[in-house]
Amino acid sequence: EGVEIDMRQNLSIFDTLFHTKFFGNFDVVGNLALIKSRLYISEVINQENANPLQGQSPYVVNGGIYYQNDSIGFQASLLYNVFGPRLYLVGTLDYANIGELPRQTLDIAITQKVWKCISMTFGIQNILDSHVRFVQDTNRDGKFEKDGQDEEISGYKTGRYFTVGVKVNLSGN
């Protein structure tokens, strides 16, 4: 069960307020999902019989700002994402569940038209390079917490990912 809210708004209202034609090129988007999942399994041996769905976060937040100016052939986007703590691995009665802690990401993408049908692209994914962290629910409270009594058992950084490219539009549009 859960709820999801999506929002998309063009910022042209600010053009009216400030007597410009600048803000109409911007769109802001947002998404919030709140989820409560529970999987009940009867007749399990040496395991808890109720867990959240594996990989299902209790919340996910996405947001972004987009800029597009067709007169100069320029587009850019800045995107943000965070997800809540989630079950990574179902444990046993002797070895508690393992969960992944929340992680934030920030991505940017830029496209510039350089000729009729050719555009240059540039992007950076995971600008924040947040740690991927796994903890064991050692206090067995059903939560995965960094500052609680849960023990961090693994962690790493994925690094930033850079892209540079050329796009060719063969249709000429």
Side-chain angles (χ1 to χ4, degrees), residues 6-67:
D6 286 306
M7 183 272 304
R8 176 177 213 96
Q9 179 64 52
N10 181 272
L11 300 182
S12 61
I13 188 169
F14 293 110
D15 284 334
T16 306
L17 291 172
F18 298 110
H19 307 291
T20 69
K21 292 186 179 184
F22 176 72
F23 292 101
N25 295 327
F26 286 93
D27 286 300
V28 177
V29 297
N31 172 278
L32 168 67
L34 302 172
I35 305 111
K36 182 173 181 166
S37 66
R38 204 56 147 173
L39 180 62
Y40 298 95
I41 302 174
S42 59
E43 300 181 29
V44 295
I45 298 172
N46 198 29
Q47 284 188 330
E48 297 288 334
N49 64 354
N51 284 300
L53 290 174
Q54 184 177 13
Q56 178 67 66
S57 295
Y59 63 87
V60 177
V61 178
N62 296 296
I65 186 161
Y66 295 88
Y67 177 82

Side-chain angles (χ1 to χ4, degrees), residues 4-147:
E4 184 173 10
I5 300 168
D6 286 306
M7 183 272 304
R8 176 177 213 96
Q9 179 64 52
N10 181 272
L11 300 182
S12 61
I13 188 169
F14 293 110
D15 284 334
T16 306
L17 291 172
F18 298 110
H19 307 291
T20 69
K21 292 186 179 184
F22 176 72
F23 292 101
N25 295 327
F26 286 93
D27 286 300
V28 177
V29 297
N31 172 278
L32 168 67
L34 302 172
I35 305 111
K36 182 173 181 166
S37 66
R38 204 56 147 173
L39 180 62
Y40 298 95
I41 302 174
S42 59
E43 300 181 29
V44 295
I45 298 172
N46 198 29
Q47 284 188 330
E48 297 288 334
N49 64 354
N51 284 300
L53 290 174
Q54 184 177 13
Q56 178 67 66
S57 295
Y59 63 87
V60 177
V61 178
N62 296 296
I65 186 161
Y66 295 88
Y67 177 82
Q68 182 169 343
N69 187 327
D70 292 332
S71 67
I72 62 171
F74 182 79
Q75 296 177 344
S77 63
L78 183 65
L79 305 172
Y80 171 79
N81 171 270
V82 64
F83 62 83
R86 55 191 178 190
L87 178 64
Y88 177 73
L89 184 65
V90 177
T92 66
L93 295 177
D94 299 322
Y95 192 77
N97 290 344
I98 295 173
E100 183 179 2
L101 293 177
R103 185 171 73 246
Q104 301 178 56
T105 59
L106 187 66
D107 303 335
I108 188 169
I110 297 170
T111 302
Q112 175 65 60
K113 191 177 223 178
V114 293
W115 197 52
K116 293 179 186 178
C117 61
I118 298 176
S119 298
M120 298 294 295
T121 63
F122 173 75
I124 307 173
Q125 293 178 320
N126 195 25
I127 293 169
L128 302 174
D129 196 17
S130 298
H131 275 90
V132 177
R133 289 193 167 104
F134 297 95
V135 297
Q136 188 167 28
D137 184 18
T138 51
N139 63 356
R140 295 189 180 263
D141 65 354
K143 300 175 185 173
F144 301 111
E145 302 168 307
K146 176 174 62 173
D147 298 326

Side-chain angles (χ1 to χ4, degrees), residues 146-157:
K146 176 174 62 173
D147 298 326
Q149 296 179 8
D150 296 337
E151 180 181 347
E152 185 170 334
I153 60 168
S154 178
Y156 60 90
K157 283 190 166 195

